[in-house]
Structures are given as C-alpha cells and as structure tokens.
Amino acid sequence: MPRAQRRPGYQAVFAVREFRVVFVAHLLSLLGVVVSEIALTVLVYDLTRSPLLSALTFALGFLPYLVGGTLLAGVADRHPPRRVLVVCDLVCAGCVALMVVPATPVAGLLVLRCAVAAVAPVFQGTRTATLADILGEGDLFVLGRSLLRIVSQSALLTGFAVGGLLLTVVAPRGAIALTAATFLASALLLRLGTRKRPARGAATPKERGNLALLRDRRVRALMLMFWLPPLFAVVPEALAAPYADQAGVSTAALGLLMCALPVGTIAGELFAGSRLSAATRSRIVYPLVLVGVLPYLLYVLEPGAALAGLALLLAGATGAYTLGLDAWFVAAVPEEQRGRAMTLMTAGMMTAQGVGMAGAGLAAEFLPVHLVVAGTGVVGTLCVLAAVLHLRATEVRDGADRHVTTG
C-alpha cells in the first residue's frame, strides 16, 4: 500500500507529543483511582467491620457520576480545558490527602469518595474533548480514544492486583497517600505538557445547556447507544461470584470469569484499531452492537468456567463497535458543546453500569444466576435493537433535512 494511502495506526497517535503526555497522565490518574478504591474499601472495613459499608464505599465510585456529570457538565466548555483538567486532578489529590488524616471519620471518608467520583466525569469529558483538539476529529481521535479505553480495561486486569500487592507492604492509609502523589503527578504533566487553549463555549447560555444538547435527535440517539449496551454488558461481571458459587467452580475459575470480558474488549479494540479502516469500523457498528450480549445465552446451559469465559470473551470483543461510534459522535456534536457532550456521555455510561450491576443483583435474589445472565442476552438484544432502529431513523431524517436545505 503506498505511504499516502496507509491507514493511520496506533503508532501515528503516539507520534503526537501532546497525546503522549495525556496518555501518561491518564495512566497515573487511573492508577490513583483504582488503588485508592481498594485501599479505601479495606480501610472502611478495618474501621467498621461492616461488609455493607465496605461495599458501599466501592459502589460510591458509580453513583455520583450522574450528579457530577449533569450539574458540572458545562464546566468542560466554559473554562479553558487545561485548567479544568489540572483543577480536577488537584481536587482529587486534595480529597485523597484528607482521607489519609486519621481524624477523618468514616462518614467523611464516604463524602470524600463521592467528591472524587463527582469530578471524574468532568475530567474525562474534558480530556476526551481535548483529544479532538490534539488529534483532530478524524481517525487519529478515534484511535486515541481507543488507546485510553484499552488502558482503562487493562486497569481492571492489573490495577486490583497492584493494589492488593501494595496493601501487603503498606497500611491502607499509606496506599491512599501514594495515590495522592499520582494525581499530583498527572496535574503537573497536564500543566506543563499540554497547550493552553481557550474555552470552547465561554459563558454558554442557558438555552444551550444539557437539555438543549439532548433535544438534538442525532446526539440523543448516539448517547443512548453509548449508555444502553454497558447496562446489560456488566451483568455477568456483577454476578461472577454468585455464579461461581452456584456452579461450584474454584477461585481461579472465578478469576477467569472476571478477566474474560475485559480481555475480549482489549483484543477487539486492538484488532479494529490496527487492522480495520475507518470506513470498515463504521460499517460494523450495527452488526457488532446487535450481537454484543447474545453470547450470554450460553448461560442457559449452566456452563462451566471455560464455556462461560468463552461467552464473555466473545461479548467483550464486540465492544470494537465503539470506535465507529466515537467517530459518529464527535462529528454530530457542535465543537462549542463538545466538552459538555463528552461529560454527559461519560456520566451516563458509568451510571448505566452501576444500574446494571444493581439490577442484576436484585434479579438474582429471585431467579437462578444463570437464568438472569441468559435473560440479559434476550432483553439486552431487544433493547439495543430498538436503539439501533432509533439511531438509523436519525440518519434518514438528517439526510432528508440536508436534501431540503440544499435542494
């Protein structure tokens, strides 16, 4: 293939110096989040001996996303992006530092946990919008987003292991103190390594807020496509422990079930990003998203760890549809509202996962675990099909509008 016709790949993304800075900062802040989650959960349990409060500490990583993403979404566009990113990292570092203080009560620890989670969607939305400034709105942006997702999925595989190992040599408060340093290092990198850019939509008027953004049929339909699949995709992970107990498999098999979905996701993204063209990634969005949770139907057979792991691996690999969806989304959102849109999209995704986990646990109180997961394959596919039809309708409508305008 001639050089001029070669597809940009992950190497081309890493060739951009500013992206390398963002990538390393993302790695540092992500490490801080994962380790602090583990250490704080252990700390709360040590202080209270309450499994409920310990589990609540972990769940609070999801719940404030909706509040923070909704109320603070406009911050991403009203202020210079570099300033938003640095301030968010500093807020997280400050909250984590207060967790280390022995006098901080358990209620205070939970409030600080909520504060870190509340600023997370603003940080992530601003960073995603900034990627479009750094890499452009084309294929490099899509591949850059993919790399950050791959790192996040990898954190699910390695982060908890690193955190657990760290807690064998230092006390929970000591581990939390180390995460404050990772947030500060991320802030320093972003401040010194990224360009100063003006705010996209300074003093965005009220009529151009969240509701105005969601009134756009195309943007709303795309948001739904980001939110709905994760709602169902997380069900097997949420029920991995009770399923392993029901199936009578070993702890090692439980680890396999927990790792299979993120491994499949990483493999799917790497293949789509490195081997497929932008046009091909766009064409496979609908087929992949429609079969995303169909492998969960294998759970109706009450499979062992190997077959269940294969089902999760296949389901994770279909997550490659997000590369094409990213390209559609950044093209549909006005530049001056890009930060707000990315923040809302991120908040919705995390909230959907939290709701999916809670709903799975509730359903498993009344039904066998394997039937809950298998039922997710049916219900999830039907819901995603409705979302796909809605999104396709916006394509037809947009095309008709353009024809009227230009005809």
Side-chain angles (χ1 to χ4, degrees), residues 5-232:
Q5 298 178 9
R6 287 179 183 171
R7 294 188 298 269
Y10 290 120
Q11 289 183 339
V13 180
F14 277 119
V16 180
R17 186 198 64 82
E18 203 172 357
F19 174 80
R20 296 197 299 271
V21 172
V22 172
F23 182 85
V24 174
H26 172 63
L27 195 60
L28 288 169
S29 62
L30 187 62
L31 179 63
V33 168
V34 173
V35 174
S36 65
E37 282 179 350
I38 302 169
L40 185 59
T41 300
V42 173
L43 176 61
V44 169
Y45 183 74
D46 287 345
L47 294 174
T48 65
R49 312 310 296 179
S50 169
L52 174 61
L53 286 176
S54 179
L56 179 62
T57 303
F58 193 81
L60 286 175
F62 291 96
L63 300 179
Y65 261 79
L66 180 61
V67 176
T70 302
L71 299 181
L72 303 177
V75 171
D77 292 320
R78 284 198 299 267
H79 301 280
R82 186 176 69 179
R83 182 188 305 167
V84 174
L85 293 174
V86 170
V87 168
C88 285
D89 264 336
L90 293 178
V91 168
C92 290
C95 290
V96 169
L98 290 175
M99 294 176 188
V100 180
V101 178
T104 305
V106 172
L109 293 174
L110 297 180
V111 169
L112 291 169
R113 178 75 182 93
C114 286
V116 172
V119 302
V122 180
F123 179 86
Q124 294 173 17
T126 304
R127 183 186 59 209
T128 302
T130 302
L131 280 185
D133 298 330
I134 295 173
L135 301 172
E137 300 176 7
D139 212 30
L140 285 184
F141 166 80
V142 172
L143 295 177
R145 276 271 288 161
S146 173
L147 281 169
L148 296 188
R149 274 197 303 268
I150 288 170
V151 170
S152 298
Q153 289 293 330
S154 300
L156 296 177
L157 301 175
T158 60
F160 290 123
V162 170
L165 182 62
L166 184 62
L167 289 173
T168 65
V169 294
V170 298
R173 291 190 192 274
I176 294 173
L178 289 176
T179 66
T182 65
F183 285 120
L184 289 174
S186 173
L188 186 63
L189 273 174
L190 292 170
R191 176 62 182 82
L192 300 179
T194 59
R195 285 176 46 200
K196 181 179 180 180
R197 294 179 172 87
R200 290 180 190 81
T204 301
K206 186 176 180 180
E207 63 271 14
R208 294 174 62 188
N210 297 345
L211 292 179
L213 181 66
L214 293 176
R215 276 197 292 268
D216 185 306
R217 293 177 73 250
R218 177 69 173 171
V219 172
R220 187 173 66 244
L222 287 167
M223 287 250 192
L224 187 62
M225 286 297 295
F226 277 108
W227 297 342
L228 199 56
L231 175 70
F232 300 102

Side-chain angles (χ1 to χ4, degrees), residues 231-284:
L231 175 70
F232 300 102
V234 297
V235 169
E237 285 185 305
L239 299 178
Y243 181 75
D245 181 61
Q246 174 184 305
V249 301
S250 65
T251 303
L254 173 59
L256 171 66
L257 294 178
M258 294 295 291
C259 292
L261 195 66
V263 167
T265 302
I266 293 170
E269 289 234 13
L270 282 174
F271 178 80
S274 59
R275 297 295 183 184
L276 303 182
S277 66
T280 301
R281 293 197 296 265
S282 183
R283 284 195 296 269
I284 64 176

